[in-house]
Amino acid sequence: MMHSLKNIMMIVVESMINKFEEDEMRSQERQKKIQKEKSNSYCTDNCSDSDSSFNQSYKFCQGKLQLILDQLDPGQPKEVRYEGLQTLCSAPPSDVLNCENWTTLCEKLTVYLSDPDPVFSDRILKFYAQTFTLSPLHMTKEIYKSLAKYLELHFISRENHIPTLSTGIDITNPNVIHLLKKVRLLNEYQKEAPSFWIRHPEKYMEEIVESTLSLLSVKHDQSHLVSQKILDPIYFLALVDTKAVWFKKWMHAYYSRTAVLRLIEKKYKSLITTAVQQCVQYFELCKTMKADEVLGHSKPCGNKQKTFYYSGQELQYIYFIHSLCLLGRLLIYTQGRKLFPIKLKNKKDSVSLTDLLVLFTQLIYYSPSCPKMTSPGHLENYSPASMVTEILCILCDQKECAIECLYNNTVIEALLQPIHNLMKGTKAAPNCSETALIHVADILTRIASVEEGLILLLYGENMSSSEEKSPTGAHIIAQFSKKVLDEDISIFSGSEMFPAVKGAFTSVCRQIYGTCEGLQVLIPYSLHESIAKAWKKTSLLSERIPTPVQGSDSVSSISQESQNIMAWEENLLDDLLNFAATPKGLQLLQRTGAINECVTFMFNQYAKELQVSRHKKFGYGVLVTQVASTAAGAIALQSSGFINALLTELWANLECGRDDVRVTHPKSTPVDPIDQSCQKSFLALVNLLSYPAVYELVGNQGLPNKEEYSLREVPTSVTDIIDRLIILNSEAKIRSLFNYEQSHIFGLRLLSVVCCDLDTLLLLEAQYQVSEMLLNAQEENTLETSDSHRDFIIDSLSVERNHVLVRINLIGGPMERILPPRMLEKGGDPYPWPMFSSYPLPNCYLSDSVTRNAYLKQDNDLGKLLLRFKMSDKQSEWIEHCRRQFCKMMKAKPDIISGGALVELLEKFVLHLSESPSECYFPSVEYTATDANVKNESLSSVQQLGVKMTVRYGKFLNLLRDGAENDLTLVLKHCERFLKQQQASVKSSLLCLQGSYTGHDWFVSSLFIIMLGDKDKTFRFLQQFSRLLTSAFLWLPRLHISRYLPIDTIESGIHPVYFCSTHYVEMLLKAEVPLVFSAFHMSGFAPSQICLQWITQCFWNYLDWIEICHYIATCVFLGPDYQVYICIAIFKHLQQDILQHTQTQDLQVFLKEEALHGFRVSDYFEYMEILEQNYRPVLLRDMWNIRVQST
């Protein structure tokens, strides 16, 4: 059966093969017939773009080309010549160009380009166009060169009737039409050639470039009148390519740019000279002619109607625009700028680069504005002002170019001169308009957005020159902006575009006051008040807009008006919001009372995923961090919905969304403790939860602790997150989580970072007993063994809990405590660190530092020094001598400044300072309370826990003894009463302003340990120290709702350490360690927040005790500005680590969790002295001004 089936299949297959072969033969015969018909109809007109030597059935032979040459002979009848052209156009261009007789043919074609019969010239142009389209560069460049050469000879020849400048150009004239067609074809190839000429030898490209420049450099005899001037080739090129797109494309790539600039410099510099000449002539025309005449001169600017005639003035204007674009592109490149200065005819002085830029800026003011475009489809704008603005904005975006061209006083003064005149009341310029001012503001905004440009605006070119008395650009801009915001300039009042002028110049100011150094310069102008006033006025207007009624004629006008008002209102809110970019700016923003509206605006923009502005690179991260560092800011973030949205997004990534969404691809199992999808939310929470924010959002609030949680119940507040992710003390909470382990680890990691702020730790411990919850969880995570012993189960949660427990219960610097790792180790014992479920901690976590006993050593040199100081009678001399000796010892023997010697030195030094009127900042306050008077008063639960923590740390250091807890409690009670005498009454909704200082007094605790637990010495020192300016910045509770501060500062709830010290940390960081400053901005984190945390807790857990002593002593002896210098030194020390963690996107976590390993105050003493020399006058002046000024 199989054999039979095989035979049948063979017969069938053979039959199919035979059938296929017959069909194939018929197909081939049919194809041959078609090809033969094509060959017979060879001479028909076939100019299809698909023709080429690749799809022709023959090779174009030499004999055929000779026949065409004979047919094209001028002596032949017209019909014969036309037939020859038809044959040529039908032939493959590449075959024609490869023939030996091509040179002869090229000469004949050039002759036919001048033929008065349009049939012949058009046929030649069609052949040229076909060649450009289908042939490679080495062939097309011959055609291009011949066309360019023909045009060059055509313009040079006096026999051709080329229009003059006086007659203009009538584009309905056949001769003009033919000429424009040739120029247009040339220009189209110019724009296309750069896309492929890099694939060919450089000489081909150079030949094309040189033939072009040679053509454009053709100039007629200038002896006759200008009005009788014959138009040069560049006029016609400008007609077909007004914005010089060809030059832009040629200059784009280094390959062609090098050749272009080399040839211009060597042979064709006249091209640039005439371009500059055109710009100069147009500017002079603008200055001398009346506005209406100039508008007529600039007719193409906004004329949408089709025109068939261009007058001489219009041609000059088109040539001017072409020259402007050409020069603008030339200035971008270094070699292009080296062509300057340019020597002009009839001008004594050469035109330098700066002269040209000044000319450009003056064109913005003096040239007329375009008529308003009535059609949105009209995209091209040829007004000189807009063209110059576009060019200057492009130059601003090129750093090297901007520095060389724009960043000098001459150009800035030219930009600002009309503004200066407007403020003086003089006329700015004959045609200076609101549009021109908006253009200038746009350029200034771009200049101010770059560091070099900002410095120029703030300080001018000669920063150190004392001779410079004229105000810098920033001052002029700020003065003008304030005047227009306050509507103190009558010239533009009532104008429709006046709000746009206001918005444009406040945008410039925004770039300036969004930086620390810029804000310092602009503070005297109180722009925040002017902007807030304008916003309130606009907000009232938006409320008064009537509701449109359907069918009413006024619907569209009301709608447009409301849109304009709303846009202006949002613009003003954005301006106000940008004050929050710096600590001091945030304080000014809070004073305006508009912080809630600004944060709501920011959240709305954030929800739309919009950037702060086109000049901001890293979104809203830094702004949110700055705002979250203050109590009022945290409340604003909550009321705006920002926190709710953040937590909703977190829950959607961590657990589930609000709605059931069809899952097509299940989530991958997380590998990292915090999954990548949750990392962004985690960092946002870390940024948000500073202590001021935590206290406002969590303070005095209990946990829900529900009996049952819905699986779809999404947390909406910080308290909910603590309840659902951190304190999982019930089965109901555990069961409510889809991903219990992953979610709880997220919560524990968040707790670990947040509790690095010791005030936050004490608050959470006081309200929620966090450590007790963790210990209970560890106790439950055990297994009973046979001998009644319980072993801890080692899993990711128990390891994480163990780390957090050690971190929150053990105080110490990098050398004083040992934190267990979060990762298991390889080998037989993956986790050798002992776990615990009750206190005290195992001893292995306590460092056996040998330096603990060294703190009590007395140094002989220091003792001798103190004795010598006693013999001095002159107080001021003693103080200065003591400071010098302190610096000397810090550099040579820093370890001796500790223990009893440090106590004695501090006591004597502060005593002398407090007795010197010139050194005292606060007045003396009489205090008579005794221990018995304060004994019955109570400390807050946070303070009580802080006392226990302090005593535990002091005992670990062997510096405190039993009974120290009661003594420290008494000291804190005395301090609270002493400071209460100096507090003002204030009514505020902020929790932090309702009563005593909300955190623990870490400075008093540190001082208590320094004084070895002596409560009398400690409090006596504090009374004396409270008179000094340094106390305002080291001892934070000193100025809590203090009557020495302005009332608006008290009501803001912002401490001077934040708006003064950390503000200058950011300012100096940008100047001294710019890479670190940039890293912070890229990470969306603010240096001010971590510095505030360090300073508030006196660097506890970040530095070893000896370094904490040196920090306090340095600030006491040398001044409060050293607090700023120490922070800068720390960032300098951490630079490499900060850059590394910026790349791994965990900078916030690193800075908050990690101690400052290897940092010693003494190592950076010389560096800090340099900082003091450079910055002390500014810093101390601002620190001195925090108090209410006497009137």
Side-chain angles (χ1 to χ4, degrees):
M1 182 178 175
M2 289 296 294
H3 184 70
S4 175
L5 183 61
K6 181 179 179 181
N7 290 334
I8 293 171
M9 290 300 296
M10 287 176 67
I11 294 170
V12 171
V13 170
E14 188 175 352
S15 174
M16 290 175 67
I17 291 172
N18 292 335
K19 178 67 173 172
F20 176 77
E21 289 176 348
E22 290 174 5
D23 291 343
E24 185 68 18
M25 288 180 67
R26 278 197 297 269
S27 176
Q28 288 178 1
E29 288 176 2
R30 197 162 48 246
Q31 191 68 23
K32 287 179 181 178
K33 186 177 179 182
I34 293 171
Q35 293 290 354
K36 188 175 181 181
E37 289 175 356
K38 280 188 177 181
S39 179
N40 291 335
S41 61
Y42 171 71
C43 291
T44 59
D45 184 11
N46 181 7
C47 294
S48 170
D49 288 345
S50 63
D51 281 342
S52 73
S53 58
F54 296 104
N55 60 12
Q56 297 292 329
S57 60
Y58 56 86
K59 174 69 178 173
F60 195 76
C61 61
Q62 297 292 335
K64 202 71 174 175
L65 181 60
Q66 186 60 50
L67 178 61
I68 294 175
L69 282 172
D70 295 339
Q71 288 177 320
L72 291 177
D73 190 271
Q76 295 287 355
K78 181 177 180 180
E79 292 78 11
V80 175
R81 285 183 287 142
Y82 183 74
E83 185 181 350
L85 281 178
Q86 289 282 67
T87 307
L88 182 66
C89 289
S90 302
S94 56
D95 289 350
V96 173
L97 292 169
N98 280 326
C99 288
E100 294 178 359
N101 295 330
W102 159 245
T103 307
T104 309
L105 178 62
C106 185
E107 293 174 359
K108 290 187 179 292
L109 294 179
T110 304
V111 172
Y112 275 104
L113 281 173
S114 303
D115 197 296
D117 190 341
V119 174
F120 290 99
S121 60
D122 285 352
R123 273 292 164 196
I124 299 299
L125 286 179
K126 184 173 287 189
F127 172 74
Y128 278 23
Q130 189 175 338
T131 306
F132 286 151
T133 305
L134 301 175
S135 303
L137 182 68
H138 70 279
M139 298 177 181
T140 56
K141 61 106 175 173
E142 296 295 336
I143 291 290
Y144 181 88
K145 282 171 60 182
S146 68
L147 181 58
K149 191 64 179 175
Y150 158 76
L151 286 171
E152 185 176 344
L153 295 172
H154 180 81
F155 278 96
I156 292 174
S157 173
R158 291 186 175 276
E159 297 177 3
N160 298 308
H161 300 288
I162 299 171
T164 63
L165 198 60
S166 59
T167 59
I169 292 180
D170 180 6
I171 60 173
T172 59
N173 184 311
N175 292 329
V176 172
I177 291 175
H178 297 157
L179 187 56
L180 282 174
K181 279 183 178 181
K182 295 159 191 171
V183 175
R184 178 62 179 268
L185 179 61
L186 197 78
N187 180 247
E188 289 298 323
Y189 184 77
Q190 289 171 350
K191 291 187 284 188
E192 289 299 322
S195 61
F196 52 78
W197 62 20
I198 196 172
R199 298 193 294 268
H200 299 273
E202 190 174 345
K203 65 176 183 177
Y204 294 156
M205 178 264 296
E206 288 187 354
E207 288 179 22
I208 292 172
V209 171
E210 181 153 20
S211 60
T212 304
L213 297 179
S214 177
L215 168 65
L216 298 180
S217 298
V218 169
K219 295 293 172 190
H220 292 95
D221 185 14
Q222 301 297 320
S223 59
H224 43 66
L225 297 174
V226 175
S227 60
Q228 298 301 317
K229 174 187 175 185
I230 299 173
L231 295 177
D232 297 325
I234 199 162
Y235 282 92
F236 291 86
L237 182 64
L239 265 178
V240 298
D241 188 4
T242 308
K243 290 192 175 181
V245 176
W246 69 274
F247 191 74
K248 177 181 177 181
K249 291 191 174 185
W250 283 21
M251 295 291 283
H252 179 69
Y254 178 81
Y255 178 75
S256 55
R257 181 169 67 246
T258 307
V260 172
L261 293 175
R262 185 177 66 249
L263 286 168
I264 287 177
E265 185 178 9
K266 287 183 177 180
K267 298 172 65 177
Y268 303 106
K269 198 171 181 179
S270 60
L271 187 66
I272 308 302
T273 304
T274 53
V276 175
Q277 186 74 48
Q278 281 298 118
C279 295
V280 171
Q281 287 177 358
Y282 181 80
F283 174 65
E284 290 173 350
L285 184 73
C286 289
K287 287 202 298 185
T288 55
M289 292 177 67
K290 294 180 181 179
D292 55 346
E293 293 176 358
V294 178
L295 278 171
H297 185 80
S298 310
K299 187 178 178 183
C301 160
N303 188 7
K304 272 197 71 199
Q305 296 180 352
K306 290 184 178 178
T307 180
F308 298 102
Y309 174 76
Y310 290 92
S311 67
Q313 283 189 338
E314 290 170 344
L315 290 171
Q316 284 282 67
Y317 181 76
I318 292 170
Y319 182 19
F320 156 69
I321 292 294
H322 186 273
S323 301
L324 195 63
C325 295
L326 187 144
L327 291 172
R329 185 57 48 176
L330 188 74
L331 294 181
I332 294 176
Y333 307 104
T334 305
Q335 293 301 318
R337 296 192 293 273
K338 286 182 179 178
L339 295 173
F340 290 84
I342 297 286
K343 180 66 179 174
L344 300 182
K345 291 183 179 179
N346 305 323
K347 293 281 183 181
K348 290 183 179 179
D349 300 325
S350 299
V351 177
S352 66
L353 203 57
T354 302
D355 294 335
L356 185 64
L357 268 298
V358 169
L359 174 66
F360 282 0
T361 58
Q362 290 174 329
L363 281 171
I364 296 175
Y365 289 111
Y366 283 91
S367 62
S369 301
C370 276
K372 290 180 182 177
M373 304 303 173
T374 55
S375 171
H378 190 81
L379 301 177
E380 293 288 346
N381 186 354
Y382 291 96
S383 73
S386 61
M387 299 287 287
V388 168
T389 303
E390 183 182 346
I391 289 168
L392 294 183
C393 287
I394 292 172
L395 297 183
C396 288
D397 295 338
Q398 314 291 323
K399 184 177 179 180
E400 182 184 347
C401 174
I403 291 172
E404 191 174 342
C405 294
L406 294 171
Y407 297 164
N408 61 73
N409 285 343
T410 307
V411 176
I412 297 299
E413 285 171 8
L415 276 170
L416 296 175
Q417 187 59 47
I419 299 169
H420 202 58
N421 293 342
L422 279 172
M423 288 191 295
K424 287 182 177 178
T426 57
K427 206 168 185 181
N431 302 304
C432 182
S433 63
E434 299 97 316
T435 308
L437 291 174
I438 293 169
H439 285 318
V440 168
D442 192 16
I443 296 165
L444 290 170
T445 301
R446 289 174 184 267
I447 292 174
S449 66
V450 180
E451 181 65 18
E452 292 80 5
L454 177 63
I455 290 172
L456 178 67
L457 290 176
L458 291 175
Y459 312 114
E461 278 184 294
N462 304 317
M463 292 177 59
S464 58
S465 174
S466 57
E467 299 176 4
E468 195 84 19
K469 292 184 179 179
S470 59
T472 60
H475 290 282
I476 296 172
I477 294 165
Q479 291 167 13
F480 182 72
S481 300
K482 186 170 178 63
K483 279 183 175 290
V484 295
L485 282 169
D486 296 340
E487 299 185 358
D488 198 18
I489 291 182
S490 58
I491 188 170
F492 296 130
S493 58
S495 168
E496 290 181 11
M497 297 188 70
F498 192 34
V501 174
K502 294 180 187 178
F505 276 92
T506 51
S507 179
V508 185
C509 293
R510 181 167 67 194
Q511 291 298 319
I512 299 173
Y513 64 63
T515 64
C516 295
E517 62 274 24
L519 184 65
Q520 289 301 116
V521 172
L522 298 194
I523 276 180
Y525 299 101
S526 301
L527 284 173
H528 61 289
E529 295 177 359
S530 297
I531 296 172
K533 183 180 176 183
W535 167 72
K536 289 170 184 174
K537 182 179 178 181
T538 308
S539 183
L540 289 173
L541 284 176
S542 65
E543 293 173 3
R544 293 176 185 172
I545 294 174
T547 304
V549 180
Q550 191 172 3
S552 172
D553 295 335
S554 62
V555 171
S556 60
S557 62
I558 291 175
S559 176
Q560 184 61 45
E561 181 187 1
S562 64
Q563 287 178 12
N564 292 339
I565 291 175
M566 287 176 64
W568 176 227
E569 184 180 1
E570 287 188 353
N571 193 39
L572 289 168
L573 281 175
D574 202 6
D575 293 331
L576 283 173
L577 175 63
N578 275 266
F579 276 100
T582 63
K584 187 171 288 186
L586 180 58
Q587 184 205 21
L588 298 177
L589 172 59
Q590 289 200 18
R591 286 181 180 179
T592 65
I595 188 168
N596 289 331
E597 290 81 1
C598 287
V599 172
T600 301
F601 168 78
M602 177 177 69
F603 170 62
N604 293 335
Q605 299 294 98
Y606 174 83
K608 299 173 188 175
E609 297 183 351
L610 297 177
Q611 288 285 333
V612 179
S613 75
R614 63 186 172 185
H615 303 293
K616 288 283 183 183
K617 299 181 178 67
F618 303 110
Y620 284 102
V622 174
L623 287 178
V624 172
T625 308
Q626 294 282 21
V627 169
S629 299
T630 65
I635 295 298
L637 286 169
Q638 186 179 46
S639 61
S640 70
F642 179 88
I643 295 177
N644 191 349
L646 174 62
L647 299 181
T648 302
E649 182 183 356
L650 163 65
W651 204 257
N653 291 324
L654 197 61
E655 285 287 321
C656 60
R658 286 187 184 278
D659 304 318
D660 290 320
V661 180
R662 182 179 178 184
V663 179
T664 54
H665 299 287
K667 285 185 178 180
S668 58
T669 304
V671 177
D672 301 319
I674 296 178
D675 188 55
Q676 193 64 35
S677 62
C678 304
Q679 181 72 8
K680 183 179 177 182
S681 301
F682 179 76
L683 295 177
L685 279 173
V686 170
N687 292 349
L688 173 69
L689 297 177
S690 67
Y691 180 68
V694 170
Y695 190 79
E696 293 299 320
L697 301 175
V698 174
N700 302 329
Q701 293 186 31
L703 295 178
N705 284 326
K706 298 179 182 179
E707 294 183 1
E708 187 177 354
Y709 293 85
S710 166
L711 292 173
R712 295 295 182 187
E713 188 175 341
V714 178
T716 57
S717 66
V718 176
T719 308
D720 288 345
I721 285 292
I722 295 173
D723 184 52
R724 298 291 300 280
L725 296 182
I726 297 175
I727 303 183
L728 300 182
N729 53 1
S730 69
E731 284 295 322
K733 294 181 183 180
I734 295 173
R735 286 197 302 268
S736 70
L737 298 175
F738 286 113
N739 306 305
Y740 162 65
E741 188 170 327
Q742 181 194 357
S743 298
H744 191 28
I745 284 180
F746 182 97
L748 292 173
R749 286 286 172 104
L750 184 62
L751 176 67
S752 175
V753 178
V754 168
C755 285
C756 291
D757 188 318
L758 294 180
D759 282 332
T760 302
L761 168 60
L762 297 180
L763 178 66
L764 295 181
E765 186 66 26
Q767 290 190 182
Y768 308 130
Q769 295 77 48
V770 174
S771 59
E772 182 183 340
M773 178 276 299
L774 293 173
L775 291 170
N776 291 337
Q778 291 293 74
E779 177 69 27
E780 293 171 3
N781 201 44
T782 57
L783 282 176
E784 281 194 29
T785 57
S786 56
D787 56 353
S788 300
H789 181 71
R790 300 177 69 87
D791 287 336
F792 289 94
I793 300 173
I794 298 175
D795 58 14
S796 59
L797 286 174
S798 63
V799 169
E800 192 67 40
R801 279 193 293 262
N802 193 53
H803 177 92
V804 175
L805 278 167
V806 175
R807 179 181 287 278
I808 67 178
N809 284 282
L810 195 58
I811 299 297
M815 302 294 292
E816 295 170 347
R817 67 173 179 174
I818 301 171
L819 297 176
R822 290 178 163 124
M823 305 297 291
L824 300 182
E825 299 175 3
K826 294 181 180 180
D829 189 2
Y831 195 76
W833 300 91
M835 293 188 179
F836 56 94
S837 57
S838 62
Y839 294 131
L841 273 68
N843 290 331
C844 65
Y845 298 117
L846 304 174
S847 175
D848 294 328
S849 177
V850 295
T851 58
R852 281 190 283 160
N853 296 322
Y855 299 137
L856 295 173
K857 290 181 180 179
Q858 175 71 46
D859 185 83
N860 292 329
D861 294 340
L862 190 59
K864 291 176 184 177
L865 176 66
L866 291 170
L867 289 172
R868 188 162 65 249
F869 285 166
K870 292 176 185 176
M871 293 183 287
S872 176
D873 294 327
K874 293 183 179 179
Q875 200 171 59
S876 60
E877 182 183 325
W878 188 92
I879 290 171
E880 287 305 314
H881 193 56
C882 192
R883 282 173 173 158
R884 284 196 301 270
Q885 286 299 125
F886 175 78
C887 292
K888 185 179 178 181
M889 286 187 293
M890 279 296 294
K891 294 175 188 176
K893 299 179 181 179
D895 290 341
I896 68 173
I897 302 180
S898 60
L902 177 60
V903 172
E904 189 175 355
L905 202 55
L906 282 173
E907 281 184 311
K908 291 185 178 298
F909 187 75
V910 170
L911 174 63
H912 279 72
L913 288 182
S914 62
E915 292 174 351
S916 173
S918 62
E919 297 287 343
C920 289
Y921 182 76
F922 297 104
S924 177
V925 176
E926 186 179 351
Y927 182 77
T928 57
T930 61
D931 290 353
N933 298 134
V934 299
K935 193 171 185 180
N936 294 328
E937 294 182 4
S938 61
L939 296 176
S940 68
S941 55
V942 168
Q943 289 271 38
Q944 291 171 23
L945 288 172
V947 168
K948 293 180 180 178
M949 186 179 284
T950 302
V951 172
R952 195 162 64 242
Y953 184 41
K955 287 183 176 180
F956 165 72
L957 297 171
N958 290 335
L959 297 177
L960 295 182
R961 59 188 182 278
D962 294 337
E965 192 170 320
N966 292 330
D967 290 343
L968 179 56
T969 301
L970 278 173
V971 171
L972 289 171
K973 288 179 179 179
H974 277 295
C975 288
E976 200 167 300
R977 176 175 281 203
F978 174 67
L979 295 177
K980 199 169 186 179
Q981 293 177 203
Q982 305 167 57
Q983 290 177 352
S985 58
V986 58
K987 292 182 180 179
S988 174
S989 59
L990 296 176
L991 285 178
C992 65
L993 297 181
Q994 297 173 7
S996 302
Y997 183 71
T998 56
H1000 180 64
D1001 196 332
W1002 298 104
F1003 177 74
V1004 170
S1005 296
S1006 302
L1007 202 64
F1008 183 74
I1009 298 177
I1010 290 174
M1011 298 293 179
L1012 307 177
D1014 189 322
K1015 65 181 177 63
D1016 295 326
K1017 274 188 178 182
T1018 303
F1019 187 63
R1020 186 166 58 248
F1021 176 88
L1022 287 167
Q1023 283 181 290
Q1024 298 163 357
F1025 182 65
S1026 67
R1027 298 197 62 193
L1028 309 180
L1029 175 63
T1030 310
S1031 67
F1033 296 93
L1034 279 186
W1035 186 12
L1036 268 70
R1038 171 76 182 88
L1039 288 184
H1040 176 65
I1041 56 176
S1042 171
R1043 66 168 182 255
Y1044 302 120
L1045 294 176
I1047 187 64
D1048 51 3
T1049 300
I1050 297 173
E1051 291 175 347
S1052 71
I1054 302 178
H1055 198 279
V1057 165
Y1058 180 73
F1059 69 76
C1060 193
S1061 292
T1062 66
H1063 177 85
Y1064 280 106
V1065 168
E1066 292 199 0
M1067 189 171 108
L1068 268 64
L1069 187 64
K1070 185 178 179 182
E1072 295 293 327
V1073 202
L1075 289 178
V1076 170
F1077 182 81
S1078 299
F1080 272 101
H1081 270 252
M1082 290 177 69
S1083 301
F1085 190 51
S1088 58
Q1089 191 182 97
I1090 188 63
C1091 288
L1092 182 64
Q1093 182 173 317
W1094 288 341
I1095 293 167
T1096 302
Q1097 63 195 53
C1098 287
F1099 290 94
W1100 282 38
N1101 279 357
Y1102 291 102
L1103 292 175
D1104 291 326
W1105 176 247
I1106 185 69
E1107 298 306 321
I1108 292 173
C1109 292
H1110 289 169
Y1111 157 71
I1112 293 173
T1114 300
C1115 293
V1116 171
F1117 279 94
L1118 302 181
D1121 53 326
Y1122 266 79
Q1123 184 181 71
V1124 175
Y1125 309 146
I1126 288 173
C1127 289
I1128 297 297
I1130 290 172
F1131 286 128
K1132 188 177 180 69
H1133 176 78
L1134 295 176
Q1135 177 165 333
Q1136 291 306 316
D1137 291 325
I1138 288 173
L1139 297 180
Q1140 180 184 341
H1141 286 277
T1142 301
Q1143 290 183 333
T1144 55
Q1145 298 183 2
D1146 63 345
L1147 178 61
Q1148 300 92 315
V1149 179
F1150 164 73
L1151 288 171
K1152 293 198 174 190
E1153 282 195 338
E1154 288 299 314
L1156 304 175
H1157 294 276
F1159 178 79
R1160 299 194 62 180
V1161 176
S1162 56
D1163 291 345
Y1164 288 87
F1165 229 76
E1166 292 182 357
Y1167 174 67
M1168 291 190 289
E1169 286 177 339
I1170 296 172
L1171 294 179
E1172 177 194 344
Q1173 293 173 9
N1174 294 335
Y1175 301 106
R1176 166 161 273 192
V1178 177
L1179 266 68
L1180 280 186
R1181 183 178 66 242
D1182 221 32
M1183 289 177 163
W1184 197 267
N1185 289 335
I1186 62 170
R1187 195 178 59 182
V1188 176
Q1189 298 298 308
S1190 56
T1191 56

